Amino acid sequence: MTDRTHDPSLRSWVESANDERTDFPIQNLPFGRFRRARSSRAWRIGVAIGDQVLDLRAVHELCPWDDAAQRLLQPLAEGDLNRFMAMGPVARRELRALLSEGLREGSNVQRLLEACLVPQSGIELTVPCRIGDYTDFYAGIHHATTVGKLFRPDNPLLPNYKWVPIAYHGRSSSIVVSGHRVRRPLGQTKGEAEMPQFGPSKRLDYELEVGALVGVGNTLGEPIPMAEAEAHLFGLVLLNDWSARDIQSWEYQPLGPFLSKSFGSTISPWVVTMEALEPFRRPFLRAEGDPQPLPYLDSPTNRERGSIDIRLEVLLQTQAMRERGEAPHLLTQGNFRDAYWTVAQMLAHHASNGCNLQPGDLFGSGTQSGPEPGQGGSLLELSHGGKVPVQLPGGETRVFLLDGDSVWIRGRCEASGARAIGFGECMGTVSPSP
C-alpha cells in the first residue's frame, strides 16, 4: 500500500522538512486550517511541511497545474476541508502525489511553491474541519481493566467488552484545538453527605486518546461493511478527552458520561492522513483465549494491517514549573497498537445499525494505556484512583489536575525502512472554574 511518496530517501527543498526531528517531513503532509497570527482573515487550508505551511489557496491561484489538479484543490482553496474529505481516498492519493512531487528536491515548480509558504511561527491554527458529531469509544483494554479493578477487583471487564466496541456520544461543539485553555467545569458531585453538592470539579483528569476523522459518509440506513471501512476514514489526530471524575462517578449510571465530558475536548491541529500512516500499519491480533471479532467486525485486511503503530506520550507542566523555567515532565508512554479495536472496526460498528456518518465526524479511541505499571493514560490510573500521589520535579505531587496545569500529548510513528512522522502537539491548560 506504500508508494513513491513514502520513500524514506525523499528530501524536500524546504530544508527544515529534512531534519530527522521534525514531525512533518515530506513523507507526512498533514492537513490543517490556519491564518496569519493576530489577523481576522478567513481560515485557509494548508499542509505542514517542516516548520512551514503550504497555503493551498495560494497554490490553487499560482501553480499552473492541469484541470484535474485544480479540481482537487478547489474545495481546499475555498477553505473547506470537509468537501475534500468527502471526495475519498483516490482524490487524496492523487493530491498527495502531486504535492510530494512539487515539494521534493529538484521540483520544477519550486519557485512557484516557495511563494505559497507561510512560517508556522507566524500563524494561528483552529479545528481542522467542521466536526458535526463526536463519538468516544472505549478501546483501551489496559485502561478499561485498570479502572475496572478500582470498582470490581474480581471482574474488571463487563461481559460485553470483548465482543462489542463500547462508546458514548460526546459533544462536538466543545472540541477545541491545541493551545486553547480548558475551564474547570462546575457540576454535581456526591460525597459521604446525604445530599449531593454543586461546585467546581475536584478530580479533573486528562485522557490520552487518538482521534479518527471520517472522510466519505454513508446514507442513513445503509451500513458500512468492514471490507469498505478503511475507504471511509480520512486521517488521525491526537485527542485529550478531559474528564471530571467526581462528576462522572455520580452522573454516569445508568446512561453514561454527560457533563463530566462535554465541557471540553482538545485535538491536535494537523490531520495525518491514512496514506501517510501506511508504513506503520501492523497486524491486528487478539490475545490467546480472547474471542475473535464477530464476522461483521472482521476482514482479511483488518487482520493483516488493522493496527497502527503510534508511540504516544503525556507530559505535565505545573504553573510552578513554568515559573521556574522547567520543561514539561514526562508522565507516561504508550502505543496505539495496544487498542483492543481498530479504527476500521469502530467505523464499521458505528454504521452497522444504519447510522449515517458524515465527513468530519470524529471518533475518540478511548484512553490508551500500556500493559506495564506506570503506563496509565490518565491520572486516575497513575494515582490508583487518587490514593497514591504522582511525584513531580521540585517536590510537587498530583493525584488530579490543578488550575494552571498544562498537559501535552505527543504522538510519533517510527519503523524500520520508513521516515518517522508525527502529529505535532495536543496541549491544553486548565483554567479556574467560573
Side-chain angles (χ1 to χ4, degrees), residues 172-400:
S172 60
S173 63
S174 56
I175 295 172
V176 297
V177 77
S178 177
H180 280 246
R181 288 182 170 268
V182 173
R183 182 170 264 187
R184 181 180 299 273
L186 299 169
Q188 193 177 125
T189 59
K190 179 69 166 64
E192 297 297 326
E194 182 178 349
M195 292 181 60
Q197 295 180 327
F198 182 82
S201 169
K202 297 177 181 177
R203 293 166 68 91
L204 184 62
D205 203 354
Y206 64 83
E207 290 190 342
L208 168 60
E209 302 196 28
V210 172
L213 287 162
V214 175
V216 181
N218 61 304
T219 304
L220 180 64
E222 296 294 331
I224 298 173
M226 272 295 292
E228 300 173 14
E230 289 277 352
H232 289 261
L233 290 164
F234 182 80
L236 304 185
V237 294
L238 303 176
L239 169 65
N240 182 350
D241 190 33
W242 305 87
S243 182
R245 303 295 184 187
D246 44 358
I247 298 173
Q248 183 177 355
S249 65
W250 175 236
E251 74 175 3
Y252 85 105
Q253 299 186 58
L255 295 181
F258 180 33
L259 300 184
S260 58
K261 298 281 192 176
S262 61
F263 62 93
S265 302
T266 303
I267 64 172
S268 53
W270 297 106
V271 187
V272 177
T273 63
M274 302 308 292
E275 286 70 37
L277 294 165
E278 284 295 339
F280 313 102
R281 305 301 293 258
R282 301 291 178 264
F284 170 71
L285 304 171
R286 278 284 166 83
E288 186 177 349
D290 278 9
Q292 293 302 308
L294 294 178
Y296 83 100
L297 293 174
D298 190 22
S299 74
T301 299
N302 196 64
R303 290 193 297 271
E304 292 166 8
R305 49 187 295 278
S307 292
I308 306 174
D309 191 343
I310 307 173
R311 178 170 53 82
L312 301 167
E313 60 183 25
V314 179
L315 302 96
L316 175 67
Q317 185 186 53
T318 69
Q319 186 166 322
M321 292 169 63
R322 197 157 48 245
E323 291 170 353
R324 295 193 299 264
E326 295 178 1
H329 173 70
L330 180 64
L331 286 179
T332 191
Q333 291 180 308
N335 198 296
F336 189 45
R337 65 172 180 260
D338 290 328
Y340 199 73
W341 300 98
T342 68
V343 286
Q345 288 173 316
M346 295 177 207
L347 185 140
H349 180 69
H350 204 316
S352 63
N353 67 342
C355 174
N356 53 322
L357 307 178
Q358 302 177 77
D361 283 357
L362 176 66
F363 300 161
S365 65
T367 306
Q368 296 299 301
S369 303
E372 303 298 327
Q375 290 187 327
S378 65
L379 281 174
L380 180 69
E381 297 163 84
L382 295 179
S383 69
H384 299 270
K387 298 175 183 177
V388 181
V390 176
Q391 299 295 319
L392 300 174
E396 290 185 274
T397 62
R398 288 290 185 275
V399 288
F400 292 102

Side-chain angles (χ1 to χ4, degrees), residues 396-411:
E396 290 185 274
T397 62
R398 288 290 185 275
V399 288
F400 292 102
L401 297 171
L402 299 183
D403 293 344
D405 287 350
S406 296
V407 177
W408 274 263
I409 294 177
R410 294 174 180 162

Side-chain angles (χ1 to χ4, degrees), residues 10 16 57 159 173 268 359:
L10 271 185
S16 59
R57 177 174 174 179
S173 63
S268 53

Side-chain angles (χ1 to χ4, degrees), residues 72-107:
L72 293 174
L73 286 166
Q74 184 67 44
L76 300 168
E78 295 174 4
D80 192 348
L81 184 58
N82 292 69
R83 275 174 53 205
F84 180 71
M85 297 166 91
M87 293 170 71
V90 173
R92 215 163 53 233
R93 286 193 292 268
E94 289 176 353
L95 183 59
R96 175 180 169 85
L98 199 65
L99 294 177
S100 176
E101 190 72 33
L103 289 167
R104 69 185 59 181
E105 287 182 340
S107 165

Side-chain angles (χ1 to χ4, degrees), residues 13 36 54-55 58 62 110-118:
W13 49 261
R36 300 272 185 174
L54 185 68
D55 181 344
L62 299 177
Q110 175 178 342
R111 182 179 58 82
L112 294 171
L113 292 186
E114 282 177 335
C116 304
L117 291 179
V118 181

